[in-house]
Structure formats: structure tokens, C-alpha cells
Amino acid sequence: MTITQKLSMEQLQRVFLAHEGEEVSLQQLAEECGLGSSRALAEAFSALLKLPFTEIPEEHRVERELIALVPEQIARRYTLIPFKKENQHALTLVMANPLELDAIDTVRALTGLEIHKTVGVEEDILRMIDQSYREEAFIDESLQDIVSLEEEIELDEDHDSDRVEIDQLKHLANDAPVIRFVNLLLMKSIEDRASDIHFEPAEKQVSVRFRIDGILREVTPPPRSLYPAIATRVKILSELDIAEHRLPQDGRFKFKVHGRIIDVRVSVLPVAHGEKIVLRILDRDALLVDMADVGFEPDMLADFHRILKMPNGIILLTGPTGSGKTTTLYSALSFLKNPELNLQTVEDPIEYLVDGINQTQIRPAIGLDFADCLRSILRQDPDIIMIGEIRDLETAQIAIRSSLTGHLVFSTLHTNDAPSSFSRLIDIGVEPYLMTATVKLFIAQRLVRKICPKCKEEVLPLKSQIDLVKHHCPDADQWTYWHGAGCLECNQTGYLGRTGIFEFLEVTDELREKVNNGQSQIDLREAAIECGMEPLAHNGFMKVKKGITTIEEVLRVAQLG
């Protein structure tokens, strides 16, 4: 028997009218309606009123902007929680009792927004109210403590807050509110899956932004006048010089969250109104993924495995900063890691420490560069060498020499696509015949955001977008397209997580001949495609066809051509 067969709308309304004006729990009402739980009652509301039913995950956190729209006392009085904001004109609520018309009128009057209703389980909504408003109170309390601390600072009239005495600044940086604020940001960065935290001081304010799935998003900022204390706190954690404000500084520290050790790489850069600080969050668990999860197509992965098993040669990954090259490199090294092999890396800096791999960080300040490290490493009997980046001719020559003497070498280049790597190496002075004799594979890489599986739905793109896709995939007008509508799981973005798109260029005899003959970059690209290379945009559109990502995401990161 279905819920709608067991319970009619008239029966439901009679039960509510019988208790009008009384303090009666939804659990009691559910029992009087003949339903076993508040979940069953919520499902009955959803079925009878034809309203969406919303499942709220335990780990979900409501956005600060939404919490600010609905006061806690209103949320508790009517057992509701703000769910999402649509087009700046409508607010969706998750309600335990959608028949509460007073609740809709109250929230509409408070927000000035059109109200859309969904139904949720009472216990889940109460849990979210406790969690969301408590976290909001904790943030406000931390900020209020910092504001109170700010009021205690006595500054010389001739000096602004950026010129506080070093001793006083150090004292403030070690004060509980500042420590708590920095700790809170670090915790939130992990919960929100952020890869970076940006502190950016302006003349009268400071902004704090998280980079989540490659996109920067603003979070709650501290008062501008307390930013020097917060910056000093970060410097203390990183063991940097707190008295130096004129020169860039780099450092790192670790913190523990949920039993995991998280490495943080710190970069401090002087700017017009203070020091900009970027914290790179290095989560080893997020990095060490199986190669199959990086985003390679099955046939591409099989070819990659085949090349990785070659006894010597050079494999080069190309792409801009933040394109996932490090993840791919370490995934390849993890695939090759074996007690019978000596794996050695030279990095700038070491981003992740991995057991079973010998890692060395270059230190240009003391004269230890890539070339010096590589010369020493070759005396350490390595089997496989990973070089953080080939930046100059000397490093390239040592990599080539290592390959010619029986080593497998991994490294990166900064080029826009795989075929232009030939030109890049020639530009830094590598002889074409040496390059073609040693390089086995170029991989160009970008990261695209994946559609959130919780709110994934069909969508019809614009005709102009489909026409762009048809340039690479003639059957694009026959595909089914998807996007994320926005939900609690993805924080209303429609995207959750990222995956790679690739140009996979294996150096064939035909390509070697064209490079040695001095063919142009355009000719080399055309020849690479003829030899089976799938262009970056085409690989991205194949992920659009499979419903993994969207046209907008591919166009955001890949050149069409």
C-alpha cells in the first residue's frame, strides 16, 4: 500500500486542524496519521503536495550567505532551513511542515524573496540548524574576539596598523582569537576541498578566498586592521621572518585534521597595501590516486602503462600551473614504485612526501639548482628520475644524457599543447636529433570540473555552443547534454570534483623525421593528429558526451583549433 493510499490530504489536514494552536511535535502528528516516523510523514507531504523531497547529507553545511537571510529563531520556530538561492530572486526552503503558511509569509517578509518549498525530515533539519547556526556563531565569535582585540591596540597617530611594533604584533599573533581564526580557516579549507587560501590586503579591507575545484570563492574576512597580526601568525607557523615585509618569503608547516596530516606551503609576496599570502593546501590522500582515476581514457591509459614500462626515455607533461601535472606525475611514480627500483625526484619545492621515493628539493639560494642535483643523483644509481621542471638547456641536457644511459626520466614543460613542446625544447637549445632520440611521450593536460551527480539533469545548450562542439565532433547535435542544477552537496555550484582532459602525443618515427627536418609547429600539430593524437578540446568534448562535464568547462580551459 502506498503512502497516498494510506493517507489522504483531507485526513492530513484534519489532524493538523485538531491540534491548531497546540505545541505538538511532528512525530506525534505522524503517529496520529498512522505513519511510523517523521520521515514517513515528510514523504507523505511530498507525495500529497507534489513537492520535492530533500535528503540532507550529514556532512552538508549551509552557505553563510543563506544563514544570514533567515534568523535562527525563525528557523527553529518553523523547523526550516534555507536550501539555495536562485537567480537572486527566489529562496528555496527545506521544511518539516510545508503547510505552515505563516512560515512562508514570515521568511518572504524578512528576505523580500519569492519562496519555493521542499520537504525534509524533521530530525535532519534540526541537525542542520544546530550545525549551521553554531558554526556561524563560532565564526562570528572569532571575528568579534578579533574586533575586541583590535580595540585594545593603541597605535601612534603617525602610524597605521601595518606599522605595529614587532613585539606587539608577535603578541597579537599569539593571542587566542587570531589563533582560532587561522585554525578555523584551515579547517574550513579542508571541509570545502580547497586547494589554496588567498589573503589579499587592500587599503581599507582584506579579502580571503578559497580555490575550490579551480575557482576562487570568497569567505568571511577579518577586520583590515588585524590583518598584520594574522599574517604574522602564518609567518610564525611557517618559521618565516616576521620583521621582513619588503621581500618575498616561502615556507611551509603542517597541521592535523581528522587524523590526517596536511602539509601547507606558504608564499608571502609584498603588494601595494601589505603582504599577500597564499597557502597551498597539500593533502597527500587527495594526491595519491590511482591512474585510472586521473581521467585517462582506457586506451590512452593502456598506452601510458606500456610506455611507463620502457627501460629508458623521457616522458614530459605540459600545461599551466594548476593543471594537475603533479597529480599525474606522482600517480605514474606510484604505479612504478617497486622495492627493486631506485626512484629519485628533484623538485622545487617538494609538494608531497611519498614513502618509497627519494625526494630532493633544490635550493638556489645556496647554489643547489636542478642541474647540480641531477649531476649528484646520477652518482646515486637511480633507475627512474623525476625532474620538477625543465627550465634551461643544462637541465635538459642532463635529462637527455640520463635517458641515453638507461634511465627513465619524467619532467614538465610549460607549453599550451603537446606538439608545441618540440618547439619549446628547440628554443632552449636542445638539438632536434637528441630530442627525438630520447623523448617517448608528451602529455598536455588540463582540469575540468565534473558535474555534481546529486543534481545532474538534462539541459539543452545554445545552438552556438553545439556548433563549436561540432567543429570537433560532427555528431554533437545528437548528444544528450547534462549540467548540475545546484544542490547542497555541491554548494549550489552544479560541480563536484575535477578530472583531467589530455593530449596524448607518442613520438613516432614519422614525427621524428618531421622534427629533424625542421617542420613548423603547425605542420607538426597536423602530423601529430594524423598519427592519432586526440586534441585537448576533443578529449574534453568526449567527456561532455559521457555526461562527465559541460561544454562551458571545456571551453574555459581548452583552446579550439
Side-chain angles (χ1 to χ4, degrees), residues 419 422 511 514-515 519-529:
F422 291 117
L511 282 172
K514 289 183 177 294
V515 171
Q519 295 287 317
S520 70
Q521 186 171 314
I522 294 175
D523 291 336
L524 289 174
R525 181 170 181 81
E526 291 177 353
I529 293 173

Side-chain angles (χ1 to χ4, degrees), residues 50-170:
K50 295 181 171 55
L51 292 173
F53 178 81
T54 299
E55 191 78 53
I56 306 178
E58 287 190 14
E59 65 275 10
H60 174 72
R61 290 174 19 265
V62 181
E63 287 184 32
R64 179 180 172 85
E65 176 191 359
L66 297 180
I67 288 297
L69 291 174
V70 181
E72 182 178 1
Q73 61 268 30
I74 299 299
R76 291 192 183 279
R77 181 192 306 169
Y78 297 113
T79 316
L80 56 84
I81 195 80
F83 176 64
K84 66 179 176 180
K85 194 175 178 183
E86 304 174 22
N87 301 323
Q88 305 301 314
H89 300 299
L91 178 67
T92 298
L93 302 176
V94 183
M95 304 180 66
N97 178 9
L99 295 177
E100 283 274 17
L101 299 181
D102 286 347
I104 303 300
D105 293 338
T106 300
V107 176
R108 185 185 294 116
L110 282 170
T111 63
L113 299 171
E114 179 185 349
I115 303 302
H116 296 162
K117 298 185 290 186
T118 68
V119 186
V121 179
E122 180 184 26
E123 290 88 343
D124 292 347
I125 295 172
L126 291 174
R127 185 191 74 242
M128 287 307 305
I129 291 173
D130 289 340
Q131 176 182 320
S132 300
Y133 287 96
R134 182 171 62 245
E135 180 176 278
E136 181 73 4
F138 182 54
I139 294 173
D140 287 341
E141 181 184 354
S142 297
L143 289 175
Q144 187 57 49
D145 285 348
I146 290 179
V147 171
S148 299
L149 195 64
E150 175 188 9
E151 293 170 355
E152 296 173 10
I153 302 174
E154 296 182 6
L155 298 176
D156 218 327
E157 290 184 2
D158 295 333
H159 295 78
D160 60 26
S161 59
D162 286 343
R163 299 183 182 273
V164 179
E165 293 287 341
I166 295 299
D167 289 344
Q168 186 182 9
L169 202 56
K170 190 172 182 179

Side-chain angles (χ1 to χ4, degrees), residues 94-389:
V94 183
M95 304 180 66
N97 178 9
L99 295 177
E100 283 274 17
L101 299 181
D102 286 347
I104 303 300
D105 293 338
T106 300
V107 176
R108 185 185 294 116
L110 282 170
T111 63
L113 299 171
E114 179 185 349
I115 303 302
H116 296 162
K117 298 185 290 186
T118 68
V119 186
V121 179
E122 180 184 26
E123 290 88 343
D124 292 347
I125 295 172
L126 291 174
R127 185 191 74 242
M128 287 307 305
I129 291 173
D130 289 340
Q131 176 182 320
S132 300
Y133 287 96
R134 182 171 62 245
E135 180 176 278
E136 181 73 4
F138 182 54
I139 294 173
D140 287 341
E141 181 184 354
S142 297
L143 289 175
Q144 187 57 49
D145 285 348
I146 290 179
V147 171
S148 299
L149 195 64
E150 175 188 9
E151 293 170 355
E152 296 173 10
I153 302 174
E154 296 182 6
L155 298 176
D156 218 327
E157 290 184 2
D158 295 333
H159 295 78
D160 60 26
S161 59
D162 286 343
R163 299 183 182 273
V164 179
E165 293 287 341
I166 295 299
D167 289 344
Q168 186 182 9
L169 202 56
K170 190 172 182 179
H171 170 74
L172 291 173
N174 287 310
D175 206 90
V178 173
I179 292 173
R180 183 164 58 172
F181 185 81
V182 173
N183 290 349
L184 175 66
L185 280 180
L186 291 171
M187 291 290 294
K188 282 178 64 64
S189 71
I190 298 302
E191 293 171 1
D192 293 350
R193 300 177 297 103
S195 61
D196 303 84
I197 305 174
H198 289 240
F199 295 90
E200 298 169 330
E203 183 178 2
K204 296 182 179 179
Q205 62 187 22
V206 59
S207 69
V208 181
R209 298 190 289 173
F210 287 174
R211 187 177 294 278
I212 302 172
D213 290 337
I215 304 297
L216 285 170
R217 304 186 186 283
E218 289 194 356
V219 297
T220 306
R224 173 64 180 89
S225 56
L226 255 293
Y227 178 64
I230 293 169
T232 301
R233 175 63 187 166
V234 174
K235 287 184 176 182
I236 290 171
L237 288 172
S238 313
E239 299 182 352
L240 299 178
D241 184 355
I242 65 173
E244 179 57 72
H245 303 288
R246 302 163 300 169
L247 297 174
Q249 296 188 71
D250 295 301
R252 64 191 306 150
F253 65 90
K254 297 180 181 180
F255 70 99
K256 190 172 183 179
V257 56
H258 304 314
R260 292 165 25 217
I261 301 296
I262 307 297
D263 292 308
V264 181
R265 196 175 78 201
V266 180
S267 174
V268 180
L269 179 70
V271 292
H273 297 289
E275 292 175 297
K276 177 181 176 181
I277 299 177
V278 176
L279 308 184
R280 170 63 60 89
I281 309 298
L282 303 172
D283 184 353
R284 190 185 305 178
D285 292 342
L287 174 83
L288 298 178
V289 297
D290 188 272
M291 290 186 68
D293 298 325
V294 171
F296 289 110
E297 303 298 328
D299 55 343
M300 191 182 291
L301 184 60
D303 287 338
F304 196 11
H305 283 169
R306 171 177 54 80
I307 295 171
L308 288 174
K309 292 176 182 178
M310 290 182 176
N312 57 68
I314 299 175
I315 297 171
L316 293 174
L317 272 73
T318 78
T321 301
S323 60
K325 299 188 299 295
T326 300
T327 300
T328 303
L329 278 175
Y330 276 105
S331 298
L333 290 175
S334 297
F335 171 78
L336 293 169
K337 192 169 64 174
N338 186 311
E340 299 177 355
L341 296 175
N342 177 14
L343 278 69
Q344 177 73 54
T345 75
V346 185
E347 305 173 60
D348 180 26
I350 296 173
E351 293 196 3
Y352 299 88
L353 295 172
V354 182
D355 292 337
I357 299 177
N358 302 294
Q359 298 170 264
T360 302
Q361 179 168 321
I362 71 166
R363 300 182 185 278
I366 61 173
L368 184 64
D369 57 18
F370 278 116
D372 291 326
C373 278
L374 285 170
R375 279 191 288 268
S376 297
I377 283 171
L378 290 175
R379 294 191 287 269
Q380 292 277 315
D381 187 32
D383 296 295
I384 298 171
I385 302 170
M386 193 268 274
I387 306 168
E389 182 184 350

